[in-house]
Amino acid sequence: MNAMIDFADVQGNILRGYRMPRVRYLVLEVADRLAARRWLAASTSGDGGGTPQITPGHWGANKPDTCFNIGLTYEGLRALGTPSSSLAMFPNEFIEGMNARALKLGDVGQSAPQTWPAPFNEPARIHLFATIYATEVAQLNYVQQRALAGGKAWRLLGTREGCNFPKNRVHFGYRDNIMQPRFEGVHDPQRHADGQPIAPLGTVLLGHPTNLEGLLWRVPQPEALGRNGTFNAFRVLKQDVVGFEKYLDQAASDLLKYPQVDDVLPPGAELNICQVLSIAPPSRHGALREIVAANLCGRWRDGTPLALSADVPDPKLVEAKFDYVGESRCPYGAHIRRCNPRNGQIVQRVANNSRRLVRRGVPYGPRYNGPEPGDGSGPEPERGLLGNFIGASLGAQFEAMSCDWLNLGLQDPRITGSNDPITGTNDPDTSWFDLPLKSGSTIRLRGLREFVSTRGGAYTFLPSLSAIRYLGSL
Amino acid sequence: MPSNEGLLDRIVDWLPTTLGFKRVASWTLVPYWARRTPVKPLPGGPHPSFQRGDNVQCMMNLIMPLKIKSPIGRAEAALAIAQNKDTIYAGLNNVGTVHFARFVIVGDNICMFSVYDGDFTNYIRDFIATIGEVFNEVVKLVEGGEKVTPCEKNVEAFIQWVHERDLYQVPDTATDFLRDQEALNGDRAVSPVDDDLTLLPRKLVLQLRANANVSLGNGYRAYPGFSVAQVRKQLGLGW
């Protein structure tokens, strides 16, 4: 056990991925304050028969069959009767809530909170997210039934459910969940040498040294409430897979007309790309689609980083060490480079490696298997990602990344004024993305749409187990 | 167009233009309005926007009353800036998003005016991380500054403190001003703003009563907004 941290005091979903295929979020409102407090106390009591037990970071020799964790909104803390002196110590962005921060997050137009469906249309009523992780739906149902047994403590406002696809693929077809930050005192830096510096524990837990040297985030008091807790931006992110695939088609067709197309894809190179990515029959158009997809993301859809292999995907390199120092072939505006510029040159030099987040996401909705038979006029089922973006400071990490990097491109003058090509709030009339060529010049792609739109979300506090006991004892 | 105004209308229009009426109204009418319809000061800084051009070259106008209201207090403030000049230049270089920063002493206030790119909280946080000790040197001379220093250990409180001292930027259009007023109503706000334009003068007077120092507009640019790094790159200065 590390001296800095007691893993049994930290909720398990913060420092580890459970690797369970099914996840269900219960969105709950406090129905009875006293009963809700008793429920919280019971959730850490160690009594396995009644209320589901919060899964801690340390579970001993046997991994549980199901896992269970909670997050509280500011309104939830208030509803539980948290003292006002403690509430006042939470950061502004958490107090205001995700809906109020819409402009910063790019939640405008079809992503605006005013368009969010229930239960996210009534943010003041959302008090607690209870998350169940399991292998089978029956297990999810069983834990949900236990969590809501008696029906006195909580009122169920709604649920969201997701299921992982094989091989960590997500709706747009990319392999996801390749790298997470590794934390000082938690992970062995030699074991996952992805080249990124080990992150101070304060990147993800309150009460520990942060990535910005000498800076400490405020820990809500009493210590039992704030320490070892963290914040989560929960997002329901609808993904327009059909629109994305159509865009790749269009961009590939456009590229074929460019005089420099052979610089993008030398004659014959399509065979290699199509073979690695199992695209049949191989074609220049098919390979160009994948080149565009890879450049927008910064990784080929099989996960190979462009920074290491820009001409052809190479599965051996998926988890290899890379950086953006020097003349990287990864576009400045690519999604993964925008989110995490690693040690590459950025405008805000002090911010390198300071805005990293733990990301826990699970797809929802049916997997896209190509165009449906018929004329395509029927409505597409909604599909997307239930995303959790976890960090000790929502303002310094999630919002800073969303606001200045994803949706303004402030970190590099070559992309300032453009949005993230995949997740950004793009308008086809004004959007652009520069696809780099070997020669050093670029081809500017236009007409990017808003492929990802927000359909709900909330800022939550992920309390330590000590904090849950404290809240249960109020 | 022929006027339908009667004598009474003309008197009502004329009265507010007289010095005597303005004085009497300041002493009696405005406090009466303020008691009947209390107005909260509108928050400072640029209005949140999703237009990219609005999110570069943003203005910060800080007015911070000095603790020691005398030439000695003002001299201390001048000295704090002068002694840290090199650190300030280094900070500007490292933060990378500031076009310029000016320190001005007006009366017994030390003022900091700057033009920066991107989000306000990121800008201040990056500065704390880079030259927090300069902030500490200046803010310790300012009323209430001791509550938020050292800024490195009070990051969130310090950013909020600065935000509260950043001047409200009065929009150029009546509808935007009414929108800001309406936003103060929070959940009770009506959208779209459905307000009586004839009340605009009263609302402006009451806001200026609550908010004595304001910025008129959010800065008028002679050219479209560019980031610091875009300017430096274009001029070949490195970024």
Side-chain angles (χ1 to χ4, degrees), chain A residues 5 20 25 67 87 99-100 106 134 136 151 155 180 199 201 249 268 309 363 398 404 406 424:
Chain A
I5 180 172
M20 292 185 180
Y25 296 88
C67 294
L87 289 172
N99 300 53
E136 304 293 338
R155 199 172 292 120
Q180 295 281 1
L201 200 50
D249 275 336
S309 182
F398 180 69
D404 281 353
L406 289 185

PDB file of all heavy atoms in Angstrom, chain A residues 5 20 25 67 87 99-100 106 134 136 151 155 180 199 201 249 268 309 363 398 404 406 424:
ATOM      1  N   ILE A   5      -1.576   7.300  -0.039  1.00  0.00           N
ATOM      2  CA  ILE A   5      -3.008   7.109  -0.255  1.00  0.00           C
ATOM      3  C   ILE A   5      -3.479   5.752   0.236  1.00  0.00           C
ATOM      4  O   ILE A   5      -2.794   4.742   0.083  1.00  0.00           O
ATOM      5  CB  ILE A   5      -3.321   7.282  -1.763  1.00  0.00           C
ATOM      6  CG1 ILE A   5      -4.812   7.089  -1.991  1.00  0.00           C
ATOM      7  CG2 ILE A   5      -2.513   6.348  -2.617  1.00  0.00           C
ATOM      8  CD1 ILE A   5      -5.222   7.432  -3.372  1.00  0.00           C
ATOM      9  N   MET A  20     -15.613  -4.227 -17.157  1.00  0.00           N
ATOM     10  CA  MET A  20     -16.882  -4.975 -17.205  1.00  0.00           C
ATOM     11  C   MET A  20     -17.691  -4.400 -18.366  1.00  0.00           C
ATOM     12  O   MET A  20     -17.746  -3.181 -18.535  1.00  0.00           O
ATOM     13  CB  MET A  20     -17.648  -4.817 -15.897  1.00  0.00           C
ATOM     14  CG  MET A  20     -16.961  -5.503 -14.734  1.00  0.00           C
ATOM     15  SD  MET A  20     -17.943  -5.416 -13.238  1.00  0.00           S
ATOM     16  CE  MET A  20     -16.874  -6.276 -12.101  1.00  0.00           C
ATOM     17  N   TYR A  25     -26.324   3.789 -15.468  1.00  0.00           N
ATOM     18  CA  TYR A  25     -26.330   4.961 -14.593  1.00  0.00           C
ATOM     19  C   TYR A  25     -27.754   5.186 -14.103  1.00  0.00           C
ATOM     20  O   TYR A  25     -28.676   5.300 -14.927  1.00  0.00           O
ATOM     21  CB  TYR A  25     -25.861   6.203 -15.347  1.00  0.00           C
ATOM     22  CG  TYR A  25     -24.423   6.111 -15.801  1.00  0.00           C
ATOM     23  CD1 TYR A  25     -24.107   5.540 -17.032  1.00  0.00           C
ATOM     24  CD2 TYR A  25     -23.389   6.587 -15.008  1.00  0.00           C
ATOM     25  CE1 TYR A  25     -22.787   5.433 -17.461  1.00  0.00           C
ATOM     26  CE2 TYR A  25     -22.066   6.484 -15.431  1.00  0.00           C
ATOM     27  CZ  TYR A  25     -21.778   5.905 -16.653  1.00  0.00           C
ATOM     28  OH  TYR A  25     -20.471   5.805 -17.063  1.00  0.00           O
ATOM     29  N   CYS A  67     -19.741  -4.004  -9.786  1.00  0.00           N
ATOM     30  CA  CYS A  67     -19.176  -2.865  -9.058  1.00  0.00           C
ATOM     31  C   CYS A  67     -20.233  -1.771  -8.967  1.00  0.00           C
ATOM     32  O   CYS A  67     -21.146  -1.698  -9.806  1.00  0.00           O
ATOM     33  CB  CYS A  67     -17.930  -2.339  -9.759  1.00  0.00           C
ATOM     34  SG  CYS A  67     -16.561  -3.513  -9.750  1.00  0.00           S
ATOM     35  N   LEU A  87     -20.251  23.596   1.746  1.00  0.00           N
ATOM     36  CA  LEU A  87     -20.702  23.788   0.361  1.00  0.00           C
ATOM     37  C   LEU A  87     -19.975  24.951  -0.303  1.00  0.00           C
ATOM     38  O   LEU A  87     -19.625  24.900  -1.477  1.00  0.00           O
ATOM     39  CB  LEU A  87     -22.209  24.050   0.341  1.00  0.00           C
ATOM     40  CG  LEU A  87     -23.116  22.873   0.672  1.00  0.00           C
ATOM     41  CD1 LEU A  87     -24.564  23.332   0.795  1.00  0.00           C
ATOM     42  CD2 LEU A  87     -23.002  21.791  -0.403  1.00  0.00           C
ATOM     43  N   ASN A  99     -24.891  22.741 -16.796  1.00  0.00           N
ATOM     44  CA  ASN A  99     -25.798  23.504 -17.664  1.00  0.00           C
ATOM     45  C   ASN A  99     -25.384  24.965 -17.749  1.00  0.00           C
ATOM     46  O   ASN A  99     -25.421  25.569 -18.820  1.00  0.00           O
ATOM     47  CB  ASN A  99     -27.241  23.418 -17.143  1.00  0.00           C
ATOM     48  CG  ASN A  99     -27.741  22.010 -17.107  1.00  0.00           C
ATOM     49  OD1 ASN A  99     -27.098  21.138 -16.534  1.00  0.00           O
ATOM     50  ND2 ASN A  99     -28.884  21.757 -17.725  1.00  0.00           N
ATOM     51  N   ALA A 100     -24.977  25.510 -16.598  1.00  0.00           N
ATOM     52  CA  ALA A 100     -24.608  26.927 -16.567  1.00  0.00           C
ATOM     53  C   ALA A 100     -23.281  27.190 -17.272  1.00  0.00           C
ATOM     54  O   ALA A 100     -22.966  28.332 -17.566  1.00  0.00           O
ATOM     55  CB  ALA A 100     -24.533  27.401 -15.113  1.00  0.00           C
ATOM     56  N   GLY A 106     -18.968  24.485 -25.154  1.00  0.00           N
ATOM     57  CA  GLY A 106     -19.401  24.342 -26.543  1.00  0.00           C
ATOM     58  C   GLY A 106     -20.770  23.700 -26.650  1.00  0.00           C
ATOM     59  O   GLY A 106     -21.149  23.213 -27.715  1.00  0.00           O
ATOM     60  N   ALA A 134     -21.350  -4.331 -14.627  1.00  0.00           N
ATOM     61  CA  ALA A 134     -21.601  -5.774 -14.557  1.00  0.00           C
ATOM     62  C   ALA A 134     -21.321  -6.418 -15.911  1.00  0.00           C
ATOM     63  O   ALA A 134     -21.013  -5.736 -16.893  1.00  0.00           O
ATOM     64  CB  ALA A 134     -23.052  -6.032 -14.136  1.00  0.00           C
ATOM     65  N   GLU A 136     -23.652  -8.970 -17.059  1.00  0.00           N
ATOM     66  CA  GLU A 136     -24.962  -9.323 -17.614  1.00  0.00           C
ATOM     67  C   GLU A 136     -26.013  -8.288 -17.207  1.00  0.00           C
ATOM     68  O   GLU A 136     -25.920  -7.686 -16.131  1.00  0.00           O
ATOM     69  CB  GLU A 136     -25.414 -10.690 -17.073  1.00  0.00           C
ATOM     70  CG  GLU A 136     -24.438 -11.822 -17.322  1.00  0.00           C
ATOM     71  CD  GLU A 136     -24.302 -12.163 -18.797  1.00  0.00           C
ATOM     72  OE1 GLU A 136     -25.231 -11.832 -19.567  1.00  0.00           O
ATOM     73  OE2 GLU A 136     -23.264 -12.724 -19.180  1.00  0.00           O
ATOM     74  N   GLY A 151     -37.717   2.123  -1.685  1.00  0.00           N
ATOM     75  CA  GLY A 151     -38.244   3.271  -2.432  1.00  0.00           C
ATOM     76  C   GLY A 151     -38.362   4.552  -1.637  1.00  0.00           C
ATOM     77  O   GLY A 151     -39.041   5.487  -2.058  1.00  0.00           O
ATOM     78  N   ARG A 155     -35.662   8.953  -5.486  1.00  0.00           N
ATOM     79  CA  ARG A 155     -36.648   8.920  -6.560  1.00  0.00           C
ATOM     80  C   ARG A 155     -35.862   8.743  -7.856  1.00  0.00           C
ATOM     81  O   ARG A 155     -34.940   9.522  -8.120  1.00  0.00           O
ATOM     82  CB  ARG A 155     -37.407  10.239  -6.582  1.00  0.00           C
ATOM     83  CG  ARG A 155     -38.717  10.229  -7.291  1.00  0.00           C
ATOM     84  CD  ARG A 155     -39.457  11.548  -7.070  1.00  0.00           C
ATOM     85  NE  ARG A 155     -39.906  11.733  -5.699  1.00  0.00           N
ATOM     86  CZ  ARG A 155     -39.539  12.740  -4.903  1.00  0.00           C
ATOM     87  NH1 ARG A 155     -38.696  13.659  -5.319  1.00  0.00           N
ATOM     88  NH2 ARG A 155     -40.005  12.831  -3.672  1.00  0.00           N
ATOM     89  N   GLN A 180      -4.359   5.842 -20.346  1.00  0.00           N
ATOM     90  CA  GLN A 180      -4.905   6.669 -19.272  1.00  0.00           C
ATOM     91  C   GLN A 180      -3.706   7.265 -18.533  1.00  0.00           C
ATOM     92  O   GLN A 180      -2.611   6.704 -18.593  1.00  0.00           O
ATOM     93  CB  GLN A 180      -5.715   5.818 -18.281  1.00  0.00           C
ATOM     94  CG  GLN A 180      -6.955   5.193 -18.843  1.00  0.00           C
ATOM     95  CD  GLN A 180      -8.122   6.168 -18.949  1.00  0.00           C
ATOM     96  OE1 GLN A 180      -7.997   7.340 -18.610  1.00  0.00           O
ATOM     97  NE2 GLN A 180      -9.243   5.672 -19.457  1.00  0.00           N
ATOM     98  N   ALA A 199       1.822  11.220 -13.595  1.00  0.00           N
ATOM     99  CA  ALA A 199       1.066  12.394 -13.126  1.00  0.00           C
ATOM    100  C   ALA A 199       1.027  12.426 -11.607  1.00  0.00           C
ATOM    101  O   ALA A 199       0.829  11.388 -10.973  1.00  0.00           O
ATOM    102  CB  ALA A 199      -0.350  12.339 -13.678  1.00  0.00           C
ATOM    103  N   LEU A 201      -0.514  12.745  -7.990  1.00  0.00           N
ATOM    104  CA  LEU A 201      -1.815  12.232  -7.548  1.00  0.00           C
ATOM    105  C   LEU A 201      -2.886  13.327  -7.498  1.00  0.00           C
ATOM    106  O   LEU A 201      -4.074  13.061  -7.681  1.00  0.00           O
ATOM    107  CB  LEU A 201      -1.635  11.588  -6.168  1.00  0.00           C
ATOM    108  CG  LEU A 201      -2.681  10.599  -5.717  1.00  0.00           C
ATOM    109  CD1 LEU A 201      -2.964   9.541  -6.769  1.00  0.00           C
ATOM    110  CD2 LEU A 201      -2.249   9.949  -4.414  1.00  0.00           C
ATOM    111  N   ASP A 249     -16.506   9.767 -46.770  1.00  0.00           N
ATOM    112  CA  ASP A 249     -16.731   9.502 -48.207  1.00  0.00           C
ATOM    113  C   ASP A 249     -16.464  10.756 -49.030  1.00  0.00           C
ATOM    114  O   ASP A 249     -15.744  10.735 -50.026  1.00  0.00           O
ATOM    115  CB  ASP A 249     -18.195   9.083 -48.445  1.00  0.00           C
ATOM    116  CG  ASP A 249     -18.394   7.596 -48.214  1.00  0.00           C
ATOM    117  OD1 ASP A 249     -17.416   6.853 -48.336  1.00  0.00           O
ATOM    118  OD2 ASP A 249     -19.536   7.208 -47.895  1.00  0.00           O
ATOM    119  N   GLY A 268      -0.422   2.680 -55.108  1.00  0.00           N
ATOM    120  CA  GLY A 268      -0.148   1.330 -54.608  1.00  0.00           C
ATOM    121  C   GLY A 268      -0.205   1.212 -53.096  1.00  0.00           C
ATOM    122  O   GLY A 268      -0.385   0.122 -52.554  1.00  0.00           O
ATOM    123  N   SER A 309       3.425   6.341 -37.079  1.00  0.00           N
ATOM    124  CA  SER A 309       3.281   5.681 -38.372  1.00  0.00           C
ATOM    125  C   SER A 309       2.191   6.399 -39.160  1.00  0.00           C
ATOM    126  O   SER A 309       1.010   6.066 -39.046  1.00  0.00           O
ATOM    127  CB  SER A 309       2.919   4.209 -38.156  1.00  0.00           C
ATOM    128  OG  SER A 309       2.822   3.553 -39.395  1.00  0.00           O
ATOM    129  N   PRO A 363     -19.944   2.944 -24.911  1.00  0.00           N
ATOM    130  CA  PRO A 363     -20.902   3.286 -25.972  1.00  0.00           C
ATOM    131  C   PRO A 363     -22.331   2.947 -25.559  1.00  0.00           C
ATOM    132  O   PRO A 363     -22.557   2.008 -24.804  1.00  0.00           O
ATOM    133  CB  PRO A 363     -20.469   2.395 -27.144  1.00  0.00           C
ATOM    134  CG  PRO A 363     -19.126   1.863 -26.801  1.00  0.00           C
ATOM    135  CD  PRO A 363     -19.048   1.842 -25.307  1.00  0.00           C
ATOM    136  N   PHE A 398     -10.917  19.768 -17.164  1.00  0.00           N
ATOM    137  CA  PHE A 398     -11.965  19.516 -18.164  1.00  0.00           C
ATOM    138  C   PHE A 398     -12.382  20.793 -18.902  1.00  0.00           C
ATOM    139  O   PHE A 398     -12.434  20.837 -20.127  1.00  0.00           O
ATOM    140  CB  PHE A 398     -13.181  18.864 -17.489  1.00  0.00           C
ATOM    141  CG  PHE A 398     -14.293  18.588 -18.438  1.00  0.00           C
ATOM    142  CD1 PHE A 398     -14.157  17.617 -19.422  1.00  0.00           C
ATOM    143  CD2 PHE A 398     -15.475  19.314 -18.392  1.00  0.00           C
ATOM    144  CE1 PHE A 398     -15.182  17.377 -20.333  1.00  0.00           C
ATOM    145  CE2 PHE A 398     -16.499  19.072 -19.288  1.00  0.00           C
ATOM    146  CZ  PHE A 398     -16.351  18.101 -20.258  1.00  0.00           C
ATOM    147  N   ASP A 404     -10.466  26.202 -24.255  1.00  0.00           N
ATOM    148  CA  ASP A 404      -9.357  26.822 -25.000  1.00  0.00           C
ATOM    149  C   ASP A 404      -8.749  25.896 -26.046  1.00  0.00           C
ATOM    150  O   ASP A 404      -8.194  26.366 -27.040  1.00  0.00           O
ATOM    151  CB  ASP A 404      -8.252  27.251 -24.030  1.00  0.00           C
ATOM    152  CG  ASP A 404      -8.592  28.559 -23.331  1.00  0.00           C
ATOM    153  OD1 ASP A 404      -9.603  29.169 -23.698  1.00  0.00           O
ATOM    154  OD2 ASP A 404      -7.848  28.962 -22.423  1.00  0.00           O
ATOM    155  N   LEU A 406     -10.155  22.462 -27.272  1.00  0.00           N
ATOM    156  CA  LEU A 406     -11.030  21.776 -28.229  1.00  0.00           C
ATOM    157  C   LEU A 406     -11.777  22.762 -29.119  1.00  0.00           C
ATOM    158  O   LEU A 406     -11.876  22.570 -30.321  1.00  0.00           O
ATOM    159  CB  LEU A 406     -12.046  20.895 -27.489  1.00  0.00           C
ATOM    160  CG  LEU A 406     -11.519  19.634 -26.818  1.00  0.00           C
ATOM    161  CD1 LEU A 406     -12.676  18.820 -26.254  1.00  0.00           C
ATOM    162  CD2 LEU A 406     -10.717  18.785 -27.773  1.00  0.00           C
ATOM    163  N   GLY A 424     -15.786  18.696 -31.823  1.00  0.00           N
ATOM    164  CA  GLY A 424     -16.047  20.124 -31.725  1.00  0.00           C
ATOM    165  C   GLY A 424     -17.418  20.518 -32.248  1.00  0.00           C
ATOM    166  O   GLY A 424     -18.073  19.776 -32.989  1.00  0.00           O
TER     167      GLY A 424
END
